[in-house]
Amino acid sequence: MKITVPPLFVVLLTFGLSLAKDGYSQDLLKRRLSIDVTNQEFRDVLSKIEKRVDVKFSFVPQLISAHERVSVSAESETLASVLNEVLSPLKISYEISGKYIVLKKNAVSIITPLAIPRPMIEGSTIRGKVTDVKGDLLIGTTVFLNQTRNQIVDQDGMFTFNNVVDGKHTIQFTSVGFKSLKREIEIRGGDVKLDIVLLEDNLQLDQVVVTSGGSPKKKIESSVAITTISAKQLTQRPPLNSTDMLKAIPGLSVESSGGDGPGSVRVRGLPGGGYVFMGVMEDGLPVLPTGFSTSPSADQYYKVDLTVKNVEAVRGGNAAIILANTPGALINVLSHTGGDKFGGKVKYTRGLSQNANRFDLNIGGPLSSKVKFNVGGFYRADDGIRPPSYRANEGGQVKMNLTYQFKPNSYIRFYGKYLNDKTTWLVPSYYSYDGSGQGKALPGFDPLTQILATRDTKVELTSPDGQKRRYDFADGVHLKSISAGAEFKHTTKSEWSFKNNLRYQSTNGGFVGATVTASSAYKSSVKYYYPGGQELASPTGFYTGQNFAGTTTSDKQFVDILDVSKQIGRHSLSFGGAFHSYDVKTFSLGATFYTEIKDKPRTLLIGANTGNGYSGVNIATFRDGLTTISSVSAADEVNFGKLTADLGLRVDRFHVKGKRLQNVAPFTNYTSFDENNTYMTGSLGLNYKVNDQHALFARATRTYSALNIGDYSNFNFNAANVKDRGVFMAEGGYKVNTTKFALFSSLIYARLTNIASTMAIPNTTAGFINIATFASSRNLSAEIEATYTPSKELNFRLTTTFQNSKYTKYEVTAPDNAREDLAGKPYIWSGNYAERVPNYIMELSASYTYKIFDAFVSFRQIGKRYTSPSNVYRLGGYNEISAGLDCKITKAIGLRVWADNLANSRGLTEGNIRGDQFLANGTFENGSLQIGRVILPRSFWTALTISF
């Protein structure tokens, strides 16, 4: 083994720390590795050693230089031998604590493993304990004394510096997930004892993220807008749905007022709800191809429980490099994997205001020195936030993974999940119009607390193809899904890193629900009956029509993603390939029926006491086809010191084939389609790290929003009515990370072209003519994410999004068969605001810790929005207030109580008048019935958690 050392060095490296199990350090030096480097920087050599033998190095930057160049060649040598050869010429000694190697500059070239060099001067002792605000030990914290000595906090949370001379000294503490702390102390002939409390780094700008594309990196060093939602932040939100947690992410306009049913998310002001522009991944693999918004939507394929470690959200253009057809944002839900010690949590949650019971469990740990496991999930039974006449939500999931680490940084992981969950979708209902855009109660019906879901739940219908089909409203949105996969990662001797992640998933689901239509007044000349023949006696007021939807769906998915990376000098190169097949079959039956307007109404039969009350039965949706997405990508991140530049390219080929139903008698004729489309994405990012606390970034991305099987399977498919949508996004921002204050801010410009839409123009018979058109939009927005910690007990968090989303082109000319006063006239919505995109979203939260108690409160405000592109009717802004209290009864037992929407706000997330662009403001009478969906009412919760 030969090593040479040229004479120049500079430092900049602090490696993350964690604690391994007892006895680890005794075997560490005996581990063997092979390494062959020539004239490389010292820090790069340390990085290679870390990857080969699963260790972490820690050192004081002012003492140990990282730019010294070394050459070393070893074949199956022990770590002790390699360290002695590398460190001796540099006069560096080391000390081992678990899996951490602490490097120290020595005056002599004597290597003293497992010991500290004998000090030359006797003096006082500085010792202390490091904990978080709740008193939990922060094992693995690095402690620096005067930037000349450093230690690792031990298993008891303690550190000790002996032989410290009298005078003033600076002591600094750093730990992963916590803000660094610096203290000035003075020694005057006596020992000093310190009790150190570190504060959580809520914005986590110094933490490494894995979803940024290419090599994992710290947020402050990345040109990507990333939000991390910690497990603690997840617990501070009601466990109602998967969409609700996205409210913590700036740039997203989240509507979770549908309860635990399908949610809707608008991304950075791009028109179009559901999950059209946002991809969702679970442990690095998509749960559904991006672009599908309902029946079912992506939020039905994953659930948040104790198995979730954290959530990483990539906002903006770089998401399109990571995942196909994801121009706006990407959510990656990351699961726990087994650690070095056995442990876990069990939690019982009780919904005090809605008869909800939920059990969560997560456990994990080692099965042997190389094998670790994690398993968990949840089960819940819930009458619903607005209880129907049946059990609203019931079901759960089980997740597991097993990791075999056959070499340091080389492993294979097997994982699986079984999901069986039923939820009720809270559809829009009626409110009393008063011009405020709020969901005011009607006489006899309150949309905030009551529901227009019929009590006559069982339905049998004969579809146009002659088949009898049975449905039950109590089934709601019901998904049964089973998946299994494997993840493999290996780093070669020459530092090529290979990671392959694959999963097979099979899902069967259904959706049974209805949406209300225009109301009608009861007529004295007409008789009204309930199913079974009972007549309504002298009904007064209004009844409503409802559009029934009964959907069955099944899909089989296989997804495989390969990532290859290599560090070559200043370049971090990465290459990728992906394959995603989505074989889906969906059939949806539509019909019309009538109900009372009251809580849990009965179905109405009008004019006769026979039949089931359903009419206009039709086939609403038919999909039967296979989509395959084949992708290649490449990226290069170049480090110029303070400036980092990265370029990413991605090419996606969509092959969509299937059959289209001709929705006319005899309803058995099909036409085949076979389409191929290729799309390209390019993204360029820059990050300038002014210093360790301040950074600037910018990014520009040109990408797309693809056509999918839903476009091609339309009954009346017309190629002229579909076009590929183009997306351009530019953003720039500023990041700050100080001891008490952290900020991630950005300005965004987003442009979307070829938005397929229709204008509903009144005809001469009180109906509408739907005219296809294409629109374009642009959005200017600002996103702010900040935390402020004025004291160790108090923390504030602010997320704010300001948006100005407008259509730049949206117009059509009314045809000759339109209503007489409209025929031939142009209708122009260009310059109007995009529908349901609020002008601002703000959430301010605070938490305060006192002894065993941790209180938190959140104030969320949603700005004004228009209900449709016509900008006829504007919904008012509204507020949501949540609050709670944690009590740490013992080290292992915690109790939490909290409430959501404390003020019982009646904010509307959507209203009718959608499409009624020919009505003028002010034509609605106060007190008139209007359709809208009100946010969820006030709810109270409590949870008991036991950790072990």
Side-chain angles (χ1 to χ4, degrees):
M1 183 167 55
K2 183 180 179 182
I3 186 165
T4 61
V5 186
L8 175 65
F9 49 129
V10 172
V11 154
L12 186 52
L13 185 60
T14 302
F15 293 93
L17 304 175
S18 57
L19 193 65
K21 58 185 179 180
D22 295 338
Y24 192 95
S25 60
Q26 300 301 320
D27 299 325
L28 192 60
L29 293 175
K30 297 179 182 179
R31 290 188 174 183
R32 294 187 175 273
L33 71 152
S34 298
I35 185 169
D36 186 10
V37 297
T38 302
N39 197 31
Q40 290 193 11
E41 290 186 355
F42 178 57
R43 63 180 177 183
D44 294 333
V45 176
L46 294 182
S47 179
K48 294 177 187 297
I49 295 174
E50 282 188 325
K51 293 178 180 179
R52 282 170 167 73
V53 291
D54 193 22
V55 299
K56 295 289 183 183
F57 289 97
S58 174
F59 55 86
V60 180
Q62 282 77 3
L63 295 181
I64 309 296
S65 177
H67 283 279
E68 184 79 14
R69 291 190 173 272
V70 300
S71 299
V72 58
S73 179
E75 185 68 32
S76 192
E77 300 269 0
T78 65
L79 175 60
S81 177
V82 173
L83 289 179
N84 284 330
E85 291 293 339
V86 172
L87 301 180
S88 291
L90 302 179
K91 294 186 167 84
I92 297 174
S93 63
Y94 66 89
E95 173 187 350
I96 297 179
S97 175
K99 66 186 289 185
Y100 305 101
I101 299 177
V102 183
L103 304 183
K104 304 182 178 185
K105 189 65 178 177
N106 213 355
V108 295
S109 58
I110 300 175
I111 301 300
T112 55
L114 302 175
I116 301 176
R118 183 183 299 274
M120 301 300 295
I121 302 175
E122 294 186 0
S124 302
T125 297
I126 301 175
R127 63 168 52 90
K129 178 184 288 188
V130 183
T131 65
D132 63 13
V133 292
K134 292 185 178 181
D136 294 331
L137 303 179
L138 295 183
I139 301 166
T141 299
T142 303
V143 187
F144 301 97
L145 179 62
N146 298 327
Q147 295 296 317
T148 60
R149 299 167 65 180
N150 58 326
Q151 289 208 351
I152 303 296
V153 170
D154 63 20
Q155 294 272 18
D156 298 319
M158 301 296 296
F159 66 92
T160 303
F161 290 101
N162 296 314
N163 306 309
V164 182
V165 299
D166 287 358
K168 293 183 179 180
H169 301 271
T170 300
I171 190 166
Q172 187 173 357
F173 304 84
T174 62
S175 183
V176 174
F178 292 83
K179 292 195 172 185
S180 298
L181 176 67
K182 184 182 291 186
R183 292 275 292 272
E184 302 293 335
I185 59 175
E186 187 171 0
I187 303 294
R188 292 185 177 180
D191 296 342
V192 174
K193 187 177 185 302
L194 300 174
D195 288 320
I196 301 300
V197 178
L198 297 187
L199 306 177
E200 285 188 68
D201 182 8
N202 292 306
L203 214 53
Q204 301 186 50
L205 287 177
D206 267 337
Q207 307 312 310
V208 174
V209 294
V210 301
T211 320
S212 58
S215 303
K217 58 182 72 69
K218 295 180 180 180
K219 287 190 201 177
I220 202 165
E221 298 172 346
S222 172
S223 58
V224 182
I226 301 174
T227 295
T228 303
I229 309 174
S230 67
K232 178 181 177 181
Q233 291 168 326
L234 289 174
T235 62
Q236 292 179 354
R237 297 186 177 273
L240 290 174
N241 53 48
S242 304
T243 304
D244 197 65
M245 71 168 183
L246 304 179
K247 292 179 180 179
I249 303 170
L252 303 185
S253 305
V254 179
E255 295 178 6
S256 59
S257 55
D260 209 5
S264 182
V265 184
R266 283 168 171 77
V267 181
R268 289 191 160 180
L270 299 176
Y275 284 76
V276 175
F277 300 109
M278 188 180 77
V280 178
M281 303 175 85
E282 190 169 34
D283 295 318
L285 294 176
V287 299
L288 190 71
T290 307
F292 294 88
S293 59
T294 57
S295 299
S297 58
D299 54 4
Q300 298 301 295
Y301 285 81
Y302 76 98
K303 304 290 179 178
V304 177
D305 57 21
L306 288 180
T307 64
V308 175
K309 181 180 179 181
N310 65 348
V311 178
E312 293 180 352
V314 178
R315 308 172 347 244
N318 196 63
I321 298 294
I322 301 171
L323 184 63
N325 195 29
T326 305
L330 174 64
I331 308 300
N332 192 7
V333 181
L334 299 171
S335 303
H336 284 287
T337 56
D340 294 319
K341 291 184 178 181
F342 178 80
K345 287 184 179 180
V346 59
K347 181 170 72 171
Y348 167 66
T349 303
R350 171 68 179 166
L352 302 176
S353 51
Q354 63 185 77
N355 191 28
N357 294 284
R358 174 172 171 138
F359 298 88
D360 288 74
L361 172 70
N362 188 70
I363 57 175
L367 295 176
S368 68
S369 60
K370 292 187 176 182
V371 181
K372 299 179 178 66
F373 82 98
N374 196 87
V375 62
F378 77 95
Y379 173 79
R380 54 85 183 272
D382 181 353
D383 285 350
I385 189 74
R386 296 189 190 108
S389 59
Y390 43 83
R391 166 99 11 115
N393 308 310
E394 186 172 13
Q397 71 175 9
V398 177
K399 290 169 60 178
M400 61 78 62
N401 58 70
L402 189 71
T403 304
Y404 173 63
Q405 189 135 9
F406 54 91
K407 287 183 179 180
N409 279 315
S410 295
Y411 64 85
I412 184 168
R413 176 175 297 134
F414 301 97
Y415 52 87
K417 181 177 75 172
Y418 175 68
L419 169 67
N420 186 344
D421 196 31
K422 184 204 79 164
T423 65
T424 289
W425 185 37
L426 303 177
V427 299
S429 56
Y430 292 98
Y431 67 97
S432 177
Y433 176 79
D434 65 356
S436 68
Q438 304 294 318
K440 186 179 179 180
L442 297 170
F445 179 77
D446 189 344
L448 182 66
T449 57
Q450 297 179 320
I451 190 169
L452 284 177
T454 177
R455 285 181 283 164
D456 302 301
T457 65
K458 297 185 183 300
V459 182
E460 183 178 294
L461 300 174
T462 301
S463 68
D465 59 6
Q467 294 189 39
K468 288 187 179 295
R469 301 178 186 270
R470 294 179 176 85
Y471 302 95
D472 191 339
F473 281 96
D475 288 338
V477 183
H478 195 170
L479 229 65
K480 296 179 181 178
S481 181
I482 187 168
S483 62
E487 180 180 320
F488 171 81
K489 183 179 180 181
H490 177 60
T491 303
T492 68
K493 177 182 175 181
S494 56
E495 290 301 309
W496 284 94
S497 177
F498 295 87
K499 181 180 178 181
N500 193 82
N501 198 359
L502 61 88
R503 181 185 65 224
Y504 174 79
Q505 177 174 286
S506 177
T507 303
N508 290 292
F511 166 67
V512 185
T515 56
V516 296
T517 59
S519 60
S520 301
Y522 287 107
K523 297 179 181 179
S524 59
S525 59
V526 177
K527 292 184 179 294
Y528 303 89
Y529 300 89
Y530 295 131
Q534 180 185 356
E535 184 179 354
L536 275 73
S538 303
T540 59
F542 295 85
Y543 65 94
T544 179
Q546 298 205 37
N547 288 331
F548 168 82
T551 302
T552 57
T553 184
S554 65
D555 67 73
K556 293 177 173 57
Q557 297 185 60
F558 176 77
V559 57
D560 189 357
I561 296 180
L562 171 67
D563 291 309
V564 181
S565 61
K566 168 73 172 176
Q567 181 76 35
I568 303 177
R570 296 180 180 271
H571 298 265
S572 294
L573 300 173
S574 60
F575 310 92
F579 177 82
H580 191 170
S581 68
Y582 175 60
D583 190 353
V584 62
K585 292 178 174 62
T586 301
F587 182 91
S588 180
L589 203 63
T592 300
F593 67 106
Y594 296 90
T595 70
E596 306 161 288
I597 297 179
K598 60 184 292 187
D599 188 35
K600 296 182 276 290
R602 296 291 308 274
T603 298
L604 293 180
L605 284 67
I606 301 176
N609 61 356
T610 59
N612 61 9
Y614 286 74
S615 62
V617 179
N618 64 90
I619 300 175
T621 305
F622 177 85
R623 293 177 188 166
D624 188 351
L626 173 68
T627 300
T628 57
I629 309 169
S630 304
S631 309
V632 293
S633 61
D636 183 15
E637 182 181 273
V638 188
N639 189 337
F640 298 101
K642 290 186 176 183
L643 178 66
T644 301
D646 68 89
L647 173 66
L649 298 172
R650 183 182 182 99
V651 178
D652 301 302
R653 181 181 181 273
F654 285 70
H655 182 200
V656 184
K657 64 179 181 178
K659 55 184 180 180
R660 183 184 305 118
L661 174 66
Q662 296 181 22
N663 198 10
V664 293
F667 303 99
T668 56
N669 297 325
Y670 302 92
T671 57
S672 297
F673 58 86
D674 194 328
E675 303 286 344
N676 287 284
N677 293 296
T678 300
Y679 305 94
M680 180 175 289
T681 295
S683 187
L684 174 64
L686 299 172
N687 191 83
Y688 182 74
K689 190 175 181 182
V690 180
N691 52 42
D692 288 339
Q693 296 179 330
H694 300 266
L696 302 168
F697 80 97
R699 177 169 291 276
T701 304
R702 185 177 295 278
T703 184
Y704 67 92
S705 177
L707 301 174
N708 61 43
I709 193 171
D711 297 300
Y712 294 116
S713 61
N714 286 337
F715 298 126
N716 300 312
F717 174 78
N718 182 350
N721 292 338
V722 294
K723 293 182 181 180
D724 296 323
R725 290 168 290 189
V727 179
F728 174 78
M729 194 172 294
E731 54 194 300
Y734 175 53
K735 295 172 281 188
V736 181
N737 193 30
T738 65
T739 302
K740 292 187 176 183
F741 178 72
L743 169 72
F744 198 123
S745 61
S746 51
L747 297 174
I748 299 99
Y749 170 81
R751 185 178 70 236
L752 176 63
T753 58
N754 291 334
I755 308 168
S757 185
T758 57
M759 278 193 182
I761 299 178
N763 61 19
T764 57
T765 60
F768 286 90
I769 306 167
N770 292 317
I771 306 299
T773 187
F774 292 94
S776 299
S777 72
R778 69 101 182 105
N779 178 52
L780 300 174
S781 60
E783 299 169 2
I784 298 172
E785 188 177 11
T787 63
Y788 175 57
T789 309
S791 68
K792 67 180 182 180
E793 298 89 2
L794 184 61
N795 175 261
F796 295 96
R797 180 186 179 93
L798 173 70
T799 58
T800 302
T801 303
F802 298 96
Q803 300 178 117
N804 184 289
S805 179
K806 289 187 174 182
Y807 288 103
T808 55
K809 181 182 179 183
Y810 204 157
E811 57 188 60
V812 72
T813 299
D816 293 338
N817 59 341
R819 202 172 65 197
E820 191 172 314
D821 61 321
L822 304 177
K825 290 184 178 181
Y827 287 89
I828 301 173
W829 294 346
S830 303
N832 285 7
Y833 290 97
E835 66 275 19
R836 292 166 67 175
V837 177
N839 55 359
Y840 72 89
I841 306 167
M842 185 273 288
E843 182 173 303
L844 176 63
S845 60
S847 62
Y848 182 78
T849 301
Y850 178 73
K851 295 184 178 179
I852 65 172
F853 297 101
D854 189 359
F856 61 91
V857 63
S858 172
F859 174 80
R860 179 176 172 84
Q861 188 170 58
I862 308 298
K864 296 178 180 179
R865 296 133 291 135
Y866 285 98
T867 61
S868 71
S870 61
N871 287 186
V872 169
Y873 182 48
R874 189 168 67 177
L875 298 177
Y878 62 89
N879 304 322
E880 294 178 88
I881 301 174
S882 301
L885 180 68
D886 282 345
C887 177
K888 189 174 181 181
I889 300 173
T890 69
K891 185 177 180 180
I893 301 176
L895 178 67
R896 171 184 293 256
V897 292
W898 74 100
D900 189 48
N901 193 10
L902 268 173
N904 242 4
S905 173
R906 293 177 171 272
L908 286 168
T909 62
E910 60 178 283
N912 75 329
I913 331 300
R914 291 183 295 171
D916 278 339
Q917 64 269 26
F918 300 97
L919 295 175
N921 239 349
T923 61
F924 313 111
E925 294 182 5
N926 281 350
S928 63
L929 277 67
Q930 301 295 341
I931 301 173
R933 180 152 60 185
V934 184
I935 64 173
L936 305 182
R938 178 170 50 224
S939 58
F940 295 94
W941 303 82
T942 184
L944 180 68
T945 302
I946 301 175
S947 303
F948 52 91

